[in-house]
Amino acid sequence: METRSVLRATASVRAFAARSVDDGVVYDILDDARFAPSGGNRQPWRVALVKDRVIRRGLADAMKPVWNEYVALAQTGRTPFAVVDGAPPLTTEPADVPFPLIDDIESVPVVLAIAADLSRIATMDADLPRPTISGGGSIYPFCWSILLAARDRGLGGVMTTFSIRAERTTGPLLGLPAGHALAATIFLGHVDRHLTKLRRNPVEGFATIDRFDGKPLSSGAQQPSRVD
Ligand SMILES: Cc1cc2nc3c(=O)[nH]c(=O)nc-3n(C[C@H](O)[C@H](O)[C@H](O)COP(=O)(O)O)c2cc1C
């Protein structure tokens, strides 16, 4: 596929056609994704292709309460689990909300658990008085490359992070090695029809000149992008 259309039209897919995906295809997807960038090129990723029904069910059972909690928190209008100005914790048990991707996890063609070896990540913001963010930069480009490589083969998928919140359960279930963190669970499969119209904010809404409180960067501006 042409790069621009892949960038602009790779949607999250959470429902798949009832067709299996060969392990060889998953191998080839990972063989492309391994070229993703990572800090110091340390490639901290580990991948488990989860085929076992019992492990899948265990993952789903651990992820479902996180989804229910997410939905209940989202109803407050604030971002669930945000460390700054996020939704306040729930005071009551959240209701069960159907989510076929998790509820029918046994029928999802491909389930990938992605982990990161923390000893291979230089966490540049580890000492700052705020939660760290930089370490994720060494694993999420790899996750995104998996989705792009899948898209190139006509597959769709979604990166999910429910399993991280439940890592105390999902980690042992997956044999997560010491010193590693779960980063995502990626679901992949064939898609009958690809959604290509994505809702995203315009550049003017997030890009400014010189400083984050500067003038918006506008479309078609004739100024050079640097001053010599
Ligand atoms: C870091 C990250 C975490 C995500 N976690 C979840 C998740 O736990 N569950 C889920 O259904 N989707 C998850 N997503 C997918 C987002 O919901 C999706 O990218 C976003 O809603 C845009 O959807 P679209 O590309 O179909 O427009 C995640 C995406 C990213 C990049």
Side-chain angles (χ1 to χ4, degrees), residues 5-49:
S5 53
V6 173
L7 288 173
R8 297 177 71 102
T10 301
S12 300
V13 177
R14 299 182 178 83
F16 304 103
R19 273 172 66 196
S20 60
V21 176
D22 291 342
D23 287 0
V25 173
V26 176
Y27 180 97
D28 291 345
I29 288 170
L30 297 177
D31 196 31
D32 287 344
R34 72 193 169 92
F35 291 96
S38 58
N41 198 19
R42 288 196 167 76
Q43 305 166 51
W45 40 80
R46 291 285 305 269
V47 178
L49 168 57

mmCIF file of all heavy atoms in Angstrom, residues 5-49:
data_model
loop_
_atom_site.group_PDB
_atom_site.id
_atom_site.type_symbol
_atom_site.label_atom_id
_atom_site.label_comp_id
_atom_site.label_asym_id
_atom_site.label_seq_id
_atom_site.Cartn_x
_atom_site.Cartn_y
_atom_site.Cartn_z
ATOM 1 N N SER A 5 -1.552 6.620 2.398
ATOM 2 C CA SER A 5 -2.891 6.080 2.670
ATOM 3 C C SER A 5 -2.844 5.121 3.858
ATOM 4 O O SER A 5 -3.800 5.031 4.622
ATOM 5 C CB SER A 5 -3.518 5.440 1.428
ATOM 6 O OG SER A 5 -2.655 4.513 0.883
ATOM 7 N N VAL A 6 -1.719 4.451 4.057
ATOM 8 C CA VAL A 6 -1.596 3.594 5.250
ATOM 9 C C VAL A 6 -1.632 4.463 6.498
ATOM 10 O O VAL A 6 -2.321 4.162 7.482
ATOM 11 C CB VAL A 6 -0.288 2.778 5.203
ATOM 12 C CG1 VAL A 6 -0.065 2.026 6.503
ATOM 13 C CG2 VAL A 6 -0.321 1.807 4.053
ATOM 14 N N LEU A 7 -0.897 5.592 6.464
ATOM 15 C CA LEU A 7 -0.853 6.481 7.629
ATOM 16 C C LEU A 7 -2.221 7.078 7.933
ATOM 17 O O LEU A 7 -2.600 7.230 9.085
ATOM 18 C CB LEU A 7 0.135 7.633 7.376
ATOM 19 C CG LEU A 7 1.614 7.279 7.394
ATOM 20 C CD1 LEU A 7 2.442 8.480 6.956
ATOM 21 C CD2 LEU A 7 2.030 6.838 8.788
ATOM 22 N N ARG A 8 -2.935 7.419 6.875
ATOM 23 C CA ARG A 8 -4.196 8.158 7.068
ATOM 24 C C ARG A 8 -5.412 7.265 7.187
ATOM 25 O O ARG A 8 -6.490 7.743 7.515
ATOM 26 C CB ARG A 8 -4.399 9.136 5.891
ATOM 27 C CG ARG A 8 -3.323 10.212 5.799
ATOM 28 C CD ARG A 8 -3.522 11.104 4.586
ATOM 29 N NE ARG A 8 -4.664 11.976 4.745
ATOM 30 C CZ ARG A 8 -4.585 13.262 5.074
ATOM 31 N NH1 ARG A 8 -3.415 13.827 5.272
ATOM 32 N NH2 ARG A 8 -5.668 13.982 5.208
ATOM 33 N N ALA A 9 -5.247 6.001 6.921
ATOM 34 C CA ALA A 9 -6.452 5.155 6.860
ATOM 35 C C ALA A 9 -6.228 3.769 7.460
ATOM 36 O O ALA A 9 -6.705 2.769 6.933
ATOM 37 C CB ALA A 9 -6.910 5.049 5.413
ATOM 38 N N THR A 10 -5.495 3.720 8.568
ATOM 39 C CA THR A 10 -5.367 2.442 9.270
ATOM 40 C C THR A 10 -6.171 2.540 10.568
ATOM 41 O O THR A 10 -5.707 3.115 11.556
ATOM 42 C CB THR A 10 -3.886 2.094 9.544
ATOM 43 O OG1 THR A 10 -3.211 2.030 8.277
ATOM 44 C CG2 THR A 10 -3.757 0.749 10.244
ATOM 45 N N ALA A 11 -7.371 2.027 10.510
ATOM 46 C CA ALA A 11 -8.295 2.137 11.648
ATOM 47 C C ALA A 11 -8.117 0.950 12.596
ATOM 48 O O ALA A 11 -7.557 -0.077 12.224
ATOM 49 C CB ALA A 11 -9.725 2.166 11.136
ATOM 50 N N SER A 12 -8.616 1.119 13.799
ATOM 51 C CA SER A 12 -8.654 -0.006 14.742
ATOM 52 C C SER A 12 -9.779 -0.950 14.323
ATOM 53 O O SER A 12 -10.884 -0.506 14.038
ATOM 54 C CB SER A 12 -8.940 0.501 16.152
ATOM 55 O OG SER A 12 -7.939 1.400 16.538
ATOM 56 N N VAL A 13 -9.468 -2.229 14.300
ATOM 57 C CA VAL A 13 -10.468 -3.238 13.926
ATOM 58 C C VAL A 13 -10.660 -4.177 15.114
ATOM 59 O O VAL A 13 -9.693 -4.719 15.647
ATOM 60 C CB VAL A 13 -9.991 -4.038 12.688
ATOM 61 C CG1 VAL A 13 -10.992 -5.123 12.342
ATOM 62 C CG2 VAL A 13 -9.774 -3.113 11.503
ATOM 63 N N ARG A 14 -11.915 -4.324 15.529
ATOM 64 C CA ARG A 14 -12.200 -5.153 16.706
ATOM 65 C C ARG A 14 -13.142 -6.309 16.382
ATOM 66 O O ARG A 14 -13.592 -6.998 17.289
ATOM 67 C CB ARG A 14 -12.797 -4.284 17.826
ATOM 68 C CG ARG A 14 -11.865 -3.174 18.297
ATOM 69 C CD ARG A 14 -12.465 -2.365 19.429
ATOM 70 N NE ARG A 14 -11.570 -1.344 19.903
ATOM 71 C CZ ARG A 14 -11.397 -0.125 19.348
ATOM 72 N NH1 ARG A 14 -12.095 0.201 18.265
ATOM 73 N NH2 ARG A 14 -10.554 0.746 19.853
ATOM 74 N N ALA A 15 -13.455 -6.487 15.091
ATOM 75 C CA ALA A 15 -14.302 -7.614 14.676
ATOM 76 C C ALA A 15 -13.698 -8.188 13.401
ATOM 77 O O ALA A 15 -13.320 -7.440 12.495
ATOM 78 C CB ALA A 15 -15.721 -7.138 14.417
ATOM 79 N N PHE A 16 -13.604 -9.501 13.352
ATOM 80 C CA PHE A 16 -12.852 -10.128 12.265
ATOM 81 C C PHE A 16 -13.696 -11.160 11.523
ATOM 82 O O PHE A 16 -14.618 -11.753 12.089
ATOM 83 C CB PHE A 16 -11.601 -10.808 12.836
ATOM 84 C CG PHE A 16 -10.742 -9.860 13.625
ATOM 85 C CD1 PHE A 16 -10.750 -9.896 15.018
ATOM 86 C CD2 PHE A 16 -9.969 -8.900 12.988
ATOM 87 C CE1 PHE A 16 -9.982 -9.008 15.752
ATOM 88 C CE2 PHE A 16 -9.199 -8.002 13.716
ATOM 89 C CZ PHE A 16 -9.201 -8.061 15.095
ATOM 90 N N ALA A 17 -13.321 -11.371 10.262
ATOM 91 C CA ALA A 17 -13.959 -12.425 9.481
ATOM 92 C C ALA A 17 -13.562 -13.779 10.082
ATOM 93 O O ALA A 17 -12.499 -13.904 10.687
ATOM 94 C CB ALA A 17 -13.488 -12.332 8.025
ATOM 95 N N ALA A 18 -14.421 -14.767 9.883
ATOM 96 C CA ALA A 18 -14.170 -16.093 10.477
ATOM 97 C C ALA A 18 -13.176 -16.884 9.632
ATOM 98 O O ALA A 18 -13.484 -17.960 9.123
ATOM 99 C CB ALA A 18 -15.489 -16.841 10.620
ATOM 100 N N ARG A 19 -12.002 -16.320 9.450
ATOM 101 C CA ARG A 19 -10.936 -17.000 8.688
ATOM 102 C C ARG A 19 -9.700 -17.024 9.546
ATOM 103 O O ARG A 19 -9.340 -15.998 10.146
ATOM 104 C CB ARG A 19 -10.611 -16.200 7.412
ATOM 105 C CG ARG A 19 -11.468 -16.539 6.220
ATOM 106 C CD ARG A 19 -11.182 -15.553 5.102
ATOM 107 N NE ARG A 19 -9.835 -15.658 4.557
ATOM 108 C CZ ARG A 19 -9.266 -14.716 3.805
ATOM 109 N NH1 ARG A 19 -9.905 -13.600 3.537
ATOM 110 N NH2 ARG A 19 -8.052 -14.912 3.334
ATOM 111 N N SER A 20 -9.030 -18.151 9.602
ATOM 112 C CA SER A 20 -7.831 -18.216 10.443
ATOM 113 C C SER A 20 -6.655 -17.534 9.732
ATOM 114 O O SER A 20 -6.686 -17.284 8.527
ATOM 115 C CB SER A 20 -7.495 -19.668 10.776
ATOM 116 O OG SER A 20 -7.276 -20.354 9.573
ATOM 117 N N VAL A 21 -5.634 -17.254 10.496
ATOM 118 C CA VAL A 21 -4.400 -16.652 9.971
ATOM 119 C C VAL A 21 -3.266 -17.612 10.308
ATOM 120 O O VAL A 21 -3.107 -18.009 11.466
ATOM 121 C CB VAL A 21 -4.146 -15.270 10.624
ATOM 122 C CG1 VAL A 21 -2.828 -14.681 10.156
ATOM 123 C CG2 VAL A 21 -5.299 -14.307 10.327
ATOM 124 N N ASP A 22 -2.519 -18.005 9.304
ATOM 125 C CA ASP A 22 -1.419 -18.961 9.535
ATOM 126 C C ASP A 22 -0.316 -18.346 10.400
ATOM 127 O O ASP A 22 -0.038 -17.146 10.298
ATOM 128 C CB ASP A 22 -0.794 -19.386 8.201
ATOM 129 C CG ASP A 22 -1.737 -20.255 7.382
ATOM 130 O OD1 ASP A 22 -2.697 -20.790 7.970
ATOM 131 O OD2 ASP A 22 -1.512 -20.369 6.161
ATOM 132 N N ASP A 23 0.338 -19.208 11.174
ATOM 133 C CA ASP A 23 1.477 -18.741 11.972
ATOM 134 C C ASP A 23 2.548 -18.102 11.080
ATOM 135 O O ASP A 23 3.245 -17.171 11.486
ATOM 136 C CB ASP A 23 2.118 -19.910 12.738
ATOM 137 C CG ASP A 23 1.254 -20.360 13.909
ATOM 138 O OD1 ASP A 23 0.172 -19.768 14.118
ATOM 139 O OD2 ASP A 23 1.665 -21.314 14.601
ATOM 140 N N GLY A 24 2.668 -18.640 9.858
ATOM 141 C CA GLY A 24 3.680 -18.095 8.947
ATOM 142 C C GLY A 24 3.406 -16.634 8.599
ATOM 143 O O GLY A 24 4.343 -15.845 8.425
ATOM 144 N N VAL A 25 2.131 -16.279 8.530
ATOM 145 C CA VAL A 25 1.774 -14.884 8.247
ATOM 146 C C VAL A 25 2.139 -14.021 9.457
ATOM 147 O O VAL A 25 2.675 -12.912 9.312
ATOM 148 C CB VAL A 25 0.262 -14.763 7.908
ATOM 149 C CG1 VAL A 25 -0.152 -13.302 7.771
ATOM 150 C CG2 VAL A 25 -0.056 -15.545 6.636
ATOM 151 N N VAL A 26 1.866 -14.545 10.647
ATOM 152 C CA VAL A 26 2.233 -13.798 11.862
ATOM 153 C C VAL A 26 3.752 -13.619 11.901
ATOM 154 O O VAL A 26 4.264 -12.540 12.214
ATOM 155 C CB VAL A 26 1.736 -14.535 13.133
ATOM 156 C CG1 VAL A 26 2.195 -13.804 14.383
ATOM 157 C CG2 VAL A 26 0.216 -14.664 13.106
ATOM 158 N N TYR A 27 4.456 -14.677 11.556
ATOM 159 C CA TYR A 27 5.927 -14.579 11.514
ATOM 160 C C TYR A 27 6.356 -13.456 10.572
ATOM 161 O O TYR A 27 7.199 -12.615 10.910
ATOM 162 C CB TYR A 27 6.535 -15.922 11.052
ATOM 163 C CG TYR A 27 8.043 -15.891 10.980
ATOM 164 C CD1 TYR A 27 8.828 -16.374 12.031
ATOM 165 C CD2 TYR A 27 8.699 -15.326 9.878
ATOM 166 C CE1 TYR A 27 10.217 -16.308 11.972
ATOM 167 C CE2 TYR A 27 10.084 -15.249 9.816
ATOM 168 C CZ TYR A 27 10.832 -15.745 10.864
ATOM 169 O OH TYR A 27 12.200 -15.662 10.806
ATOM 170 N N ASP A 28 5.755 -13.438 9.379
ATOM 171 C CA ASP A 28 6.145 -12.431 8.382
ATOM 172 C C ASP A 28 5.813 -11.012 8.856
ATOM 173 O O ASP A 28 6.556 -10.066 8.592
ATOM 174 C CB ASP A 28 5.443 -12.711 7.047
ATOM 175 C CG ASP A 28 5.980 -13.975 6.383
ATOM 176 O OD1 ASP A 28 7.059 -14.454 6.794
ATOM 177 O OD2 ASP A 28 5.314 -14.491 5.463
ATOM 178 N N ILE A 29 4.689 -10.873 9.560
ATOM 179 C CA ILE A 29 4.316 -9.557 10.107
ATOM 180 C C ILE A 29 5.376 -9.116 11.122
ATOM 181 O O ILE A 29 5.858 -7.971 11.099
ATOM 182 C CB ILE A 29 2.910 -9.630 10.754
ATOM 183 C CG1 ILE A 29 1.841 -9.745 9.661
ATOM 184 C CG2 ILE A 29 2.654 -8.428 11.661
ATOM 185 C CD1 ILE A 29 0.447 -10.061 10.173
ATOM 186 N N LEU A 30 5.772 -10.032 11.992
ATOM 187 C CA LEU A 30 6.791 -9.680 12.995
ATOM 188 C C LEU A 30 8.140 -9.425 12.327
ATOM 189 O O LEU A 30 8.940 -8.593 12.790
ATOM 190 C CB LEU A 30 6.910 -10.790 14.040
ATOM 191 C CG LEU A 30 5.646 -11.033 14.882
ATOM 192 C CD1 LEU A 30 5.858 -12.218 15.829
ATOM 193 C CD2 LEU A 30 5.259 -9.785 15.679
ATOM 194 N N ASP A 31 8.365 -10.132 11.221
ATOM 195 C CA ASP A 31 9.626 -9.964 10.496
ATOM 196 C C ASP A 31 9.715 -8.561 9.875
ATOM 197 O O ASP A 31 10.805 -8.039 9.663
ATOM 198 C CB ASP A 31 9.727 -11.049 9.416
ATOM 199 C CG ASP A 31 11.133 -11.199 8.878
ATOM 200 O OD1 ASP A 31 12.100 -10.957 9.640
ATOM 201 O OD2 ASP A 31 11.278 -11.537 7.691
ATOM 202 N N ASP A 32 8.570 -7.973 9.569
ATOM 203 C CA ASP A 32 8.559 -6.570 9.126
ATOM 204 C C ASP A 32 8.631 -5.629 10.331
ATOM 205 O O ASP A 32 9.374 -4.640 10.324
ATOM 206 C CB ASP A 32 7.264 -6.250 8.350
ATOM 207 C CG ASP A 32 7.247 -6.879 6.967
ATOM 208 O OD1 ASP A 32 8.321 -7.295 6.480
ATOM 209 O OD2 ASP A 32 6.152 -6.963 6.382
ATOM 210 N N ALA A 33 7.850 -5.947 11.360
ATOM 211 C CA ALA A 33 7.734 -5.033 12.510
ATOM 212 C C ALA A 33 9.056 -4.879 13.265
ATOM 213 O O ALA A 33 9.301 -3.851 13.907
ATOM 214 C CB ALA A 33 6.643 -5.522 13.457
ATOM 215 N N ARG A 34 9.917 -5.876 13.177
ATOM 216 C CA ARG A 34 11.179 -5.820 13.934
ATOM 217 C C ARG A 34 12.087 -4.674 13.479
ATOM 218 O O ARG A 34 13.081 -4.371 14.130
ATOM 219 C CB ARG A 34 11.918 -7.166 13.864
ATOM 220 C CG ARG A 34 12.527 -7.477 12.522
ATOM 221 C CD ARG A 34 12.963 -8.929 12.435
ATOM 222 N NE ARG A 34 13.317 -9.284 11.074
ATOM 223 C CZ ARG A 34 14.540 -9.206 10.573
ATOM 224 N NH1 ARG A 34 15.538 -8.814 11.324
ATOM 225 N NH2 ARG A 34 14.772 -9.540 9.327
ATOM 226 N N PHE A 35 11.749 -4.052 12.343
ATOM 227 C CA PHE A 35 12.542 -2.905 11.893
ATOM 228 C C PHE A 35 12.085 -1.601 12.542
ATOM 229 O O PHE A 35 12.556 -0.519 12.181
ATOM 230 C CB PHE A 35 12.512 -2.809 10.363
ATOM 231 C CG PHE A 35 13.271 -3.943 9.729
ATOM 232 C CD1 PHE A 35 12.620 -5.084 9.292
ATOM 233 C CD2 PHE A 35 14.656 -3.894 9.644
ATOM 234 C CE1 PHE A 35 13.326 -6.153 8.755
ATOM 235 C CE2 PHE A 35 15.379 -4.952 9.105
ATOM 236 C CZ PHE A 35 14.713 -6.091 8.666
ATOM 237 N N ALA A 36 11.183 -1.689 13.493
ATOM 238 C CA ALA A 36 10.722 -0.484 14.209
ATOM 239 C C ALA A 36 11.893 0.128 14.982
ATOM 240 O O ALA A 36 12.822 -0.575 15.387
ATOM 241 C CB ALA A 36 9.605 -0.868 15.180
ATOM 242 N N PRO A 37 11.824 1.444 15.210
ATOM 243 C CA PRO A 37 12.886 2.080 16.005
ATOM 244 C C PRO A 37 12.674 1.836 17.492
ATOM 245 O O PRO A 37 11.559 1.576 17.952
ATOM 246 C CB PRO A 37 12.689 3.569 15.680
ATOM 247 C CG PRO A 37 11.226 3.697 15.395
ATOM 248 C CD PRO A 37 10.808 2.400 14.756
ATOM 249 N N SER A 38 13.778 1.906 18.243
ATOM 250 C CA SER A 38 13.702 1.851 19.712
ATOM 251 C C SER A 38 14.907 2.609 20.249
ATOM 252 O O SER A 38 15.914 2.740 19.550
ATOM 253 C CB SER A 38 13.714 0.400 20.201
ATOM 254 O OG SER A 38 14.888 -0.265 19.763
ATOM 255 N N GLY A 39 14.799 3.107 21.470
ATOM 256 C CA GLY A 39 15.898 3.878 22.048
ATOM 257 C C GLY A 39 17.200 3.076 22.021
ATOM 258 O O GLY A 39 17.230 1.932 22.489
ATOM 259 N N GLY A 40 18.256 3.670 21.466
ATOM 260 C CA GLY A 40 19.561 2.997 21.399
ATOM 261 C C GLY A 40 19.518 1.714 20.582
ATOM 262 O O GLY A 40 20.424 0.885 20.670
ATOM 263 N N ASN A 41 18.477 1.535 19.794
ATOM 264 C CA ASN A 41 18.259 0.312 18.995
ATOM 265 C C ASN A 41 18.338 -0.944 19.872
ATOM 266 O O ASN A 41 18.833 -1.983 19.440
ATOM 267 C CB ASN A 41 19.265 0.242 17.834
ATOM 268 C CG ASN A 41 18.815 -0.737 16.748
ATOM 269 O OD1 ASN A 41 17.635 -1.098 16.655
ATOM 270 N ND2 ASN A 41 19.754 -1.198 15.948
ATOM 271 N N ARG A 42 17.825 -0.833 21.094
ATOM 272 C CA ARG A 42 17.949 -1.971 22.024
ATOM 273 C C ARG A 42 16.834 -2.999 21.874
ATOM 274 O O ARG A 42 16.847 -4.036 22.514
ATOM 275 C CB ARG A 42 18.043 -1.459 23.452
ATOM 276 C CG ARG A 42 19.394 -0.810 23.718
ATOM 277 C CD ARG A 42 19.667 -0.633 25.206
ATOM 278 N NE ARG A 42 21.065 -0.304 25.418
ATOM 279 C CZ ARG A 42 21.609 0.899 25.195
ATOM 280 N NH1 ARG A 42 20.854 1.879 24.768
ATOM 281 N NH2 ARG A 42 22.890 1.115 25.412
ATOM 282 N N GLN A 43 15.834 -2.688 21.067
ATOM 283 C CA GLN A 43 14.807 -3.672 20.677
ATOM 284 C C GLN A 43 14.314 -4.498 21.871
ATOM 285 O O GLN A 43 14.523 -5.703 21.921
ATOM 286 C CB GLN A 43 15.376 -4.589 19.579
ATOM 287 C CG GLN A 43 15.907 -3.788 18.387
ATOM 288 C CD GLN A 43 16.773 -4.591 17.445
ATOM 289 O OE1 GLN A 43 16.390 -5.672 17.006
ATOM 290 N NE2 GLN A 43 17.941 -4.063 17.123
ATOM 291 N N PRO A 44 13.627 -3.827 22.811
ATOM 292 C CA PRO A 44 13.273 -4.510 24.063
ATOM 293 C C PRO A 44 12.075 -5.452 23.955
ATOM 294 O O PRO A 44 11.640 -5.998 24.963
ATOM 295 C CB PRO A 44 12.936 -3.328 24.986
ATOM 296 C CG PRO A 44 12.369 -2.294 24.070
ATOM 297 C CD PRO A 44 13.152 -2.426 22.791
ATOM 298 N N TRP A 45 11.554 -5.667 22.756
ATOM 299 C CA TRP A 45 10.294 -6.389 22.641
ATOM 300 C C TRP A 45 10.415 -7.894 22.804
ATOM 301 O O TRP A 45 11.382 -8.521 22.402
ATOM 302 C CB TRP A 45 9.598 -6.072 21.310
ATOM 303 C CG TRP A 45 10.502 -5.973 20.118
ATOM 304 C CD1 TRP A 45 11.024 -6.989 19.379
ATOM 305 C CD2 TRP A 45 10.987 -4.759 19.513
ATOM 306 N NE1 TRP A 45 11.797 -6.499 18.362
ATOM 307 C CE2 TRP A 45 11.789 -5.138 18.409
ATOM 308 C CE3 TRP A 45 10.810 -3.400 19.783
ATOM 309 C CZ2 TRP A 45 12.420 -4.204 17.586
ATOM 310 C CZ3 TRP A 45 11.432 -2.473 18.977
ATOM 311 C CH2 TRP A 45 12.221 -2.879 17.881
ATOM 312 N N ARG A 46 9.362 -8.442 23.365
ATOM 313 C CA ARG A 46 9.122 -9.896 23.393
ATOM 314 C C ARG A 46 7.672 -10.084 22.954
ATOM 315 O O ARG A 46 6.813 -9.257 23.265
ATOM 316 C CB ARG A 46 9.278 -10.449 24.818
ATOM 317 C CG ARG A 46 10.704 -10.443 25.361
ATOM 318 C CD ARG A 46 11.551 -11.550 24.739
ATOM 319 N NE ARG A 46 10.967 -12.891 24.888
ATOM 320 C CZ ARG A 46 11.233 -13.694 25.924
ATOM 321 N NH1 ARG A 46 12.052 -13.317 26.874
ATOM 322 N NH2 ARG A 46 10.670 -14.893 25.994
ATOM 323 N N VAL A 47 7.423 -11.154 22.247
ATOM 324 C CA VAL A 47 6.067 -11.399 21.745
ATOM 325 C C VAL A 47 5.646 -12.817 22.088
ATOM 326 O O VAL A 47 6.406 -13.765 21.853
ATOM 327 C CB VAL A 47 6.012 -11.219 20.200
ATOM 328 C CG1 VAL A 47 4.616 -11.519 19.675
ATOM 329 C CG2 VAL A 47 6.440 -9.814 19.802
ATOM 330 N N ALA A 48 4.440 -12.977 22.626
ATOM 331 C CA ALA A 48 3.849 -14.314 22.786
ATOM 332 C C ALA A 48 2.624 -14.393 21.877
ATOM 333 O O ALA A 48 1.711 -13.567 21.995
ATOM 334 C CB ALA A 48 3.454 -14.559 24.234
ATOM 335 N N LEU A 49 2.656 -15.347 20.954
ATOM 336 C CA LEU A 49 1.485 -15.617 20.106
ATOM 337 C C LEU A 49 0.587 -16.555 20.903
ATOM 338 O O LEU A 49 0.912 -17.743 21.076
ATOM 339 C CB LEU A 49 1.951 -16.261 18.790
ATOM 340 C CG LEU A 49 0.886 -16.881 17.885
ATOM 341 C CD1 LEU A 49 -0.179 -15.876 17.493
ATOM 342 C CD2 LEU A 49 1.535 -17.479 16.631
#
